[in-house]
Amino acid sequence: MKRNTSLLSSDGVSYVIPFILITMCFALWGFANDITNPMVKAFSKIFRMSVTDGALVQLAFYGGYFVMAFPAAMFIRRYSYKSGVLMGLALYAIGALLFLPAKMSGIYYPFLAAYFIMTCGLSFLETSCNPYILSMGTAETATRRLNLAQSFNPIGSLMGMFVAMNFIQARLSPLSTEERAALDDTQFAALRDSDLSVLIAPYLFIGIVILAIFFIILRTKMPNTGDSDSKDLNLSATLRRLLGRQRYREGVVAQFFYVGAQIMCWTFIIQYGTRVFMAEGMAEKEAEILSQQYNIVAMAIFCVSRFVCTFFLKYIRPGVLLSALAVVAGVLTAGVIMADGRVGVYCLVGVSACMSLMFPTIYGIALTGIGEDAKLGAAGLIMAILGGSILPPMQAAIIDRQVVAGMPAVNVSFVLPLICFIVVAIYGYRAVSCKN
C-alpha cells in the first residue's frame, strides 16, 4: 500500500505524533502564563506590597523570555528543534520546582528567580515549537497550521486560570489588604507562610507533570524537518536579511505591543473588576474571585474565537483579519476606559475575542518565506514578548495613583492597551500590501 507522503517528513517520520506532542507544549506554556497573571494581586497581598511591586512578577516572567530567546535560537541552530523543546521542558520543570525553596525562604525575590528560570524554559519552548509547527507541512498552510496548534494554548490558559482561582485564590486567607497591614510581625509571618504553602502547590504539581512530558518526548522519534545539514551560522548576514524584510521587522514591533496588551488585559482585569464589584458593595476577596471568574470567561471566549478565526483564515487574508480585529479591540478598550460599572468589565472580556488571532498571525506573517532564517527570526519574535515584561509595570504604576484626571486610575491605565492595539492594526494593514 502506498503511504501518504504528505504526512511524512523528508526522513520518513510521520508528522502526526510529533505534531500532537508539540501542540501539547502550547497548552503547557499557556498554563504557566495564566496561572501566573493572578499572582500579581496574590503576591501584593501576601507580602503587603504595592501593585507596582507585585507586577515585578511579570517583569521576571517575561524578562526570561527576552533574555533566553536569542541563546535558544543559537542552541536550536546548533542542535535541533527537538533538543530545544527538551531544554525548554527541563528549565520549565526546574523553575516550577524551585517554588519550594522560595517558599522556605519566606522572601519575595526567590520567587522572582524561580519565575525567571521557568520562563527561560518557556522561551526555549516557544522559540522551538512555533517554527517547528510551521515546518511540518506546506508553506501555503503554515499560518493556519500554527493557528491550529496555538488554539490549544488558551486551553492550557483556561486550566491555569481555573487552578489559580480554585486552588490558590479561593484558599488564601480572606483577610483584606487593610487587615493584613494591621497585623504585627509575628502574625504577618504566620499568615504569609500559610498563604505561600497554598500558592506553591500547583507549581510543584506542574513541575512533576513537565518532567513526565520531557521523558515522553525524549523517547519519541521526531522528524528532522527544518533542521539544516549545516550548523554554521553567518549571524551578521542573517540579521541583515531579516532586518531587510519589512514584514519581519515590523512584525517584531507589533508582537511587542500585542503581548503587552494581552498581559495587561488579562492581569489587570482583577484590579479593574475588584474596583467595580467593591463599588457594588462586595467584600474584597469576593470581588477578586468574581473578577477571576470573568477572566476565565474571557479566556473561554478567546479559546473559541481562536478556532473560529482559524476557519476564517481560509477565506480572509491574515493581514486583513488581523487589522479588523485590532480595530474592534481598540474600540472595546476605549469602552473599558470610559465606561463605569459592569459595562467596562464586559468590554474588557470582549477584547479577548479579538486578541485570539493576533499572536500566531503576526508570527506567521513575519516568518513567511524566510526559510532557514526562521530559526533566528523566531528568536526576535520571542524576544518581543518583552512587551509583557515592560508594559504591565507601567500600567501598574498608573493604577497605584488611585485617581487620574478625576477618573479611576485603573480605567485610565487601559490607555496603554489601546495604544498597543492601534500599533497591531497598522501592522495588519501594512502587511496586506507589503512585498517582502
Side-chain angles (χ1 to χ4, degrees):
M1 180 180 291
K2 185 177 180 180
R3 293 184 297 175
N4 185 350
T5 56
S6 66
L7 298 177
L8 298 176
S9 67
S10 59
D11 56 346
V13 179
S14 171
Y15 289 139
V16 177
I17 299 301
F19 185 90
I20 292 171
L21 289 173
I22 298 303
T23 297
M24 286 176 58
C25 294
F26 285 76
L28 291 173
W29 75 66
F31 180 92
N33 285 320
D34 287 281
I35 193 176
T36 299
N37 289 334
M39 296 306 100
V40 171
K41 180 71 172 179
F43 277 115
S44 295
K45 289 182 66 175
I46 290 171
F47 287 102
R48 298 191 297 194
M49 301 182 301
S50 68
V51 176
T52 302
D53 288 334
L56 290 176
V57 167
Q58 300 292 36
L59 182 63
F61 193 91
Y62 292 97
Y65 273 107
F66 176 77
V67 169
M68 194 53 65
F70 189 77
M74 302 299 289
F75 180 91
I76 294 161
R77 175 76 187 207
R78 176 66 180 84
Y79 297 102
S80 67
Y81 284 131
K82 179 179 178 178
S83 297
V85 171
L86 291 173
M87 178 63 78
L89 290 171
L91 290 171
Y92 185 169
I94 291 169
L97 294 174
L98 282 174
F99 272 66
L100 179 58
K103 182 264 177 184
M104 294 172 66
S105 75
I107 303 172
Y108 177 48
Y109 296 103
F111 286 98
L112 300 182
Y115 275 122
F116 181 82
I117 293 170
M118 186 168 70
T119 51
C120 284
L122 300 186
S123 185
F124 261 93
L125 284 179
E126 295 212 36
T127 304
S128 305
C129 294
N130 284 295
Y132 205 4
I133 290 293
L134 287 173
S135 72
M136 290 184 182
T138 64
E140 291 77 13
T141 60
T143 299
R144 271 192 286 149
R145 194 163 54 250
L146 182 58
N147 268 278
L148 176 59
Q150 283 273 358
S151 296
F152 291 85
N153 177 262
I155 294 174
S157 296
L158 277 172
M159 293 174 62
M161 289 180 174
F162 178 83
V163 169
M165 183 178 69
N166 291 283
F167 294 94
I168 298 179
Q169 289 174 296
R171 299 185 182 187
L172 295 177
S173 169
L175 290 182
S176 68
T177 302
E178 292 75 17
E179 291 170 329
R180 289 168 184 263
L183 297 176
D184 62 34
D185 290 344
T186 302
Q187 292 171 324
F188 166 68
L191 181 61
R192 177 201 63 206
D193 291 346
S194 174
D195 280 348
L196 288 177
S197 295
V198 170
L199 186 147
I200 70 169
Y203 285 95
L204 300 181
F205 178 79
I206 193 62
I208 294 170
V209 171
I210 296 302
L211 285 177
I213 301 297
F214 172 92
F215 286 109
I216 291 172
I217 293 180
L218 178 65
R219 301 288 295 178
T220 301
K221 177 69 173 176
M222 305 290 280
N224 292 326
T225 302
D227 295 340
S228 174
D229 293 332
S230 172
K231 302 301 181 181
D232 296 328
L233 174 64
N234 187 328
L235 182 59
S236 61
T238 302
L239 288 174
R240 283 197 301 271
R241 287 194 299 270
L242 288 171
L243 294 176
R245 299 180 68 91
Q246 178 186 320
R247 271 199 305 257
Y248 177 80
R249 186 175 63 246
E250 296 181 1
V252 172
V253 175
Q255 201 73 290
F256 175 93
F257 283 98
Y258 164 68
V259 174
Q262 174 187 291
I263 302 308
M264 287 187 286
C265 289
W266 287 349
T267 298
F268 296 112
I269 189 174
I270 307 296
Q271 280 76 10
Y272 189 94
T274 297
R275 183 197 69 79
V276 169
F277 301 137
M278 287 181 69
E280 296 177 356
M282 290 186 188
E284 183 178 15
K285 182 170 183 178
E286 183 183 2
E288 288 174 1
I289 292 175
L290 183 57
S291 298
Q292 180 64 356
Q293 289 173 345
Y294 272 98
N295 206 9
I296 290 176
V297 171
M299 181 53 65
I301 292 172
F302 181 94
C303 185
V304 172
S305 178
R306 174 66 63 78
F307 286 101
V308 172
C309 289
T310 299
F311 171 78
F312 281 131
L313 281 173
K314 289 183 178 181
Y315 310 102
I316 303 175
R317 295 176 66 182
V320 173
L321 191 55
L322 175 67
S323 185
L325 289 173
V327 169
V328 175
V331 172
L332 289 172
T333 306
V336 174
I337 297 167
M338 302 304 298
D340 194 20
R342 295 203 181 199
V343 172
V345 178
Y346 299 150
C347 287
L348 189 48
V349 169
V351 168
S352 288
C354 303
M355 292 195 298
S356 65
L357 181 85
M358 293 182 184
F359 184 93
T361 302
I362 294 170
Y363 200 104
I365 291 172
L367 293 186
T368 296
I370 68 174
E372 186 64 19
D373 289 345
K375 290 184 178 179
L376 189 60
L381 289 162
I382 298 304
M383 290 176 75
I385 291 176
L386 183 67
S389 177
I390 291 177
L391 296 177
M394 293 173 62
Q395 186 175 11
I398 297 173
I399 293 172
D400 277 334
R401 298 184 64 180
Q402 302 298 322
V403 177
V404 175
M407 295 176 61
V410 68
N411 289 50
V412 175
S413 73
F414 279 88
V415 168
L416 292 179
L418 175 59
I419 293 170
C420 294
F421 289 128
I422 291 171
V423 172
V424 174
I426 292 171
Y427 177 67
Y429 174 77
R430 287 173 61 83
V432 173
S433 58
C434 180
K435 297 185 183 299
N436 70 349

